[in-house]
Coordinates of all heavy atoms in Angstrom, one line a residue:
R1 N 58.0 199.7 140.4 CA 56.9 199.1 141.1 C 55.8 198.7 140.1 O 55.2 197.6 140.1 CB 56.3 199.9 142.2 CG 55.2 199.3 143.0 CD 54.7 200.1 144.2 NE 55.8 200.2 145.2 CZ 56.0 199.3 146.1 NH1 55.3 198.2 146.1 NH2 57.0 199.4 146.9
T2 N 55.4 199.7 139.2 CA 54.4 199.5 138.2 C 54.8 198.3 137.3 O 53.9 197.5 136.9 CB 54.1 200.8 137.4 OG1 53.6 201.7 138.4 CG2 53.0 200.5 136.4
A3 N 56.0 198.3 136.8 CA 56.5 197.3 135.9 C 56.4 195.9 136.5 O 56.0 195.0 135.9 CB 57.9 197.6 135.5
L4 N 56.8 195.8 137.8 CA 56.7 194.5 138.5 C 55.2 194.1 138.7 O 54.9 193.0 138.6 CB 57.4 194.6 139.8 CG 59.0 194.8 139.7 CD1 59.6 195.1 141.1 CD2 59.6 193.5 139.1
D5 N 54.4 195.1 139.1 CA 53.0 194.7 139.3 C 52.3 194.3 138.0 O 51.4 193.5 138.1 CB 52.2 196.0 139.8 CG 52.5 196.3 141.3 OD1 53.1 195.4 142.0 OD2 52.3 197.4 141.7
R6 N 52.8 194.8 136.9 CA 52.2 194.4 135.6 C 53.2 193.6 134.7 O 53.2 193.8 133.5 CB 51.8 195.7 134.8 CG 50.8 196.5 135.6 CD 50.4 197.8 134.9 NE 49.4 198.6 135.7 CZ 48.9 199.7 135.3 NH1 49.2 200.2 134.1 NH2 48.0 200.4 136.1
A7 N 54.0 192.8 135.4 CA 55.0 192.0 134.7 C 54.3 191.1 133.6 O 54.9 190.9 132.5 CB 55.7 191.1 135.7
D8 N 53.1 190.7 133.8 CA 52.4 189.8 132.8 C 52.2 190.6 131.5 O 52.3 190.1 130.4 CB 51.2 189.2 133.4 CG 50.2 190.3 133.9 OD1 50.6 191.4 134.3 OD2 48.9 190.0 133.8
V9 N 51.8 191.9 131.7 CA 51.6 192.8 130.5 C 52.9 193.0 129.8 O 52.9 193.0 128.6 CB 51.0 194.1 131.0 CG1 50.7 195.0 129.8 CG2 49.7 193.9 131.7
V10 N 54.0 193.2 130.5 CA 55.3 193.4 129.9 C 55.7 192.2 129.1 O 56.2 192.3 127.9 CB 56.4 193.8 130.9 CG1 57.7 193.9 130.3 CG2 56.0 195.1 131.7
L11 N 55.5 191.0 129.7 CA 55.8 189.8 129.0 C 55.1 189.6 127.7 O 55.6 189.2 126.7 CB 55.6 188.6 129.9 CG 56.6 188.2 130.9 CD1 56.0 187.2 131.9 CD2 57.8 187.6 130.2
D12 N 53.8 190.0 127.8 CA 52.9 189.9 126.6 C 53.3 190.8 125.5 O 53.3 190.5 124.3 CB 51.5 190.1 127.0 CG 50.5 190.0 125.8 OD1 50.4 189.0 125.2 OD2 49.9 191.1 125.5
I13 N 53.8 192.1 125.9 CA 54.2 193.1 124.9 C 55.5 192.6 124.2 O 55.6 192.6 123.0 CB 54.5 194.4 125.6 CG1 53.2 195.1 126.0 CG2 55.3 195.3 124.7 CD1 53.3 196.3 126.9
Y14 N 56.4 192.0 124.9 CA 57.6 191.5 124.3 C 57.3 190.4 123.3 O 57.8 190.3 122.2 CB 58.6 190.9 125.4 CG 59.5 192.0 125.9 CD1 59.2 192.6 127.2 CD2 60.7 192.4 125.3 CE1 60.1 193.6 127.7 CE2 61.5 193.3 125.8 CZ 61.2 193.9 127.0 OH 62.1 194.9 127.5
R15 N 56.4 189.5 123.7 CA 56.0 188.4 122.8 C 55.2 188.9 121.6 O 55.5 188.5 120.5 CB 55.2 187.4 123.6 CG 55.9 186.6 124.7 CD 55.0 185.8 125.6 NE 55.7 185.1 126.6 CZ 55.1 184.7 127.8 NH1 53.8 184.8 127.9 NH2 55.8 184.1 128.7
R16 N 54.3 189.8 121.9 CA 53.3 190.2 120.8 C 54.0 191.2 119.8 O 53.8 191.1 118.6 CB 52.1 190.8 121.5 CG 51.1 191.5 120.6 CD 49.8 191.8 121.3 NE 50.0 192.2 122.6 CZ 50.1 193.5 123.0 NH1 50.2 194.5 122.1 NH2 50.2 193.8 124.3
V17 N 54.7 192.1 120.4 CA 55.3 193.2 119.5 C 56.6 192.8 118.9 O 56.9 193.1 117.7 CB 55.5 194.5 120.4 CG1 56.1 195.6 119.6 CG2 54.1 195.0 120.9
A18 N 57.5 192.1 119.7 CA 58.8 191.9 119.2 C 59.2 190.4 119.0 O 60.3 190.1 118.7 CB 59.8 192.5 120.2
N19 N 58.2 189.5 119.3 CA 58.5 188.1 119.3 C 59.7 187.7 120.1 O 60.5 186.8 119.8 CB 58.7 187.6 117.8 CG 58.5 186.1 117.6 OD1 57.8 185.5 118.4 ND2 59.2 185.6 116.7
V20 N 59.8 188.3 121.3 CA 60.9 188.0 122.3 C 60.2 187.3 123.4 O 59.2 187.8 124.0 CB 61.6 189.3 122.8 CG1 62.5 188.9 123.9 CG2 62.3 190.0 121.6
R21 N 60.6 186.1 123.7 CA 60.0 185.3 124.7 C 60.9 185.0 125.9 O 61.9 184.4 125.8 CB 59.6 183.9 124.1 CG 58.6 184.0 122.9 CD 58.1 182.7 122.4 NE 57.2 183.0 121.3 CZ 55.8 183.2 121.5 NH1 55.4 183.2 122.7 NH2 55.1 183.4 120.5
H22 N 60.4 185.6 127.0 CA 61.1 185.4 128.3 C 60.4 184.3 129.1 O 59.2 184.0 128.8 CB 61.1 186.7 129.1 CG 61.9 187.8 128.6 ND1 63.3 187.7 128.6 CD2 61.6 189.0 128.1 CE1 63.8 188.8 128.1 NE2 62.8 189.6 127.7
P23 N 61.0 183.6 130.0 CA 60.3 182.6 130.8 C 59.2 183.3 131.6 O 59.2 184.4 131.9 CB 61.4 182.1 131.8 CG 62.7 182.4 131.1 CD 62.5 183.7 130.3
D24 N 58.2 182.5 131.9 CA 57.0 183.0 132.6 C 57.4 183.7 134.0 O 56.7 184.6 134.4 CB 56.0 181.9 132.8 CG 55.3 181.5 131.5 OD1 55.4 182.3 130.5 OD2 54.7 180.4 131.4
A25 N 58.4 183.1 134.6 CA 58.8 183.6 135.9 C 59.7 184.9 135.8 O 60.0 185.5 136.9 CB 59.6 182.6 136.7
W26 N 60.1 185.3 134.6 CA 61.0 186.5 134.5 C 60.3 187.7 134.9 O 59.1 188.0 134.7 CB 61.4 186.6 133.0 CG 62.2 187.8 132.6 CD1 63.5 187.9 132.7 CD2 61.7 189.0 132.1 NE1 63.9 189.1 132.3 CE2 62.8 189.9 131.9 CE3 60.4 189.5 131.7 CZ2 62.7 191.1 131.4 CZ3 60.3 190.8 131.2 CH2 61.5 191.6 131.0
L27 N 61.0 188.6 135.6 CA 60.5 189.9 136.0 C 61.3 191.0 135.3 O 62.6 190.9 135.2 CB 60.6 190.1 137.5 CG 59.7 189.2 138.3 CD1 60.0 189.4 139.8 CD2 58.2 189.5 138.0
P28 N 60.7 192.1 134.9 CA 61.3 193.2 134.2 C 62.1 194.1 135.1 O 61.8 195.3 135.2 CB 60.1 193.9 133.5 CG 59.0 193.7 134.4 CD 59.2 192.3 135.0
V29 N 63.1 193.6 135.7 CA 64.0 194.4 136.6 C 65.4 193.7 136.6 O 65.4 192.5 136.6 CB 63.4 194.6 138.0 CG1 63.4 193.3 138.7 CG2 64.2 195.7 138.7
S30 N 66.4 194.5 136.6 CA 67.8 194.0 136.8 C 68.4 194.5 138.1 O 68.7 195.6 138.2 CB 68.7 194.5 135.6 OG 68.2 194.0 134.4
V31 N 68.5 193.5 139.0 CA 69.0 193.8 140.3 C 70.5 193.8 140.4 O 71.2 193.0 139.8 CB 68.4 192.8 141.4 CG1 69.0 193.1 142.8 CG2 66.9 192.9 141.4
I32 N 71.1 194.8 141.1 CA 72.5 194.8 141.4 C 72.8 193.8 142.5 O 72.3 193.9 143.6 CB 73.0 196.2 141.8 CG1 72.7 197.2 140.6 CG2 74.5 196.2 142.1 CD1 73.0 198.6 141.0

């Protein structure tokens, strides 16, 4: 829940720390 609520922060970390760029609509969860 926290990761989804702060998905914008997660996206920024991937871009800033690792230069990994996900689409803006991407959410940090893998659903079965």
Side-chain angles (χ1 to χ4, degrees):
R1 181 176 294 278
T2 299
L4 291 171
D5 287 342
R6 301 182 181 178
D8 57 331
V9 179
V10 176
L11 276 168
D12 180 61
I13 289 171
Y14 273 99
R15 291 168 184 163
R16 173 166 39 90
V17 175
N19 198 28
V20 173
R21 299 185 178 275
H22 291 291
D24 291 341
W26 175 86
L27 291 175
V29 68
S30 298
V31 176
I32 299 171

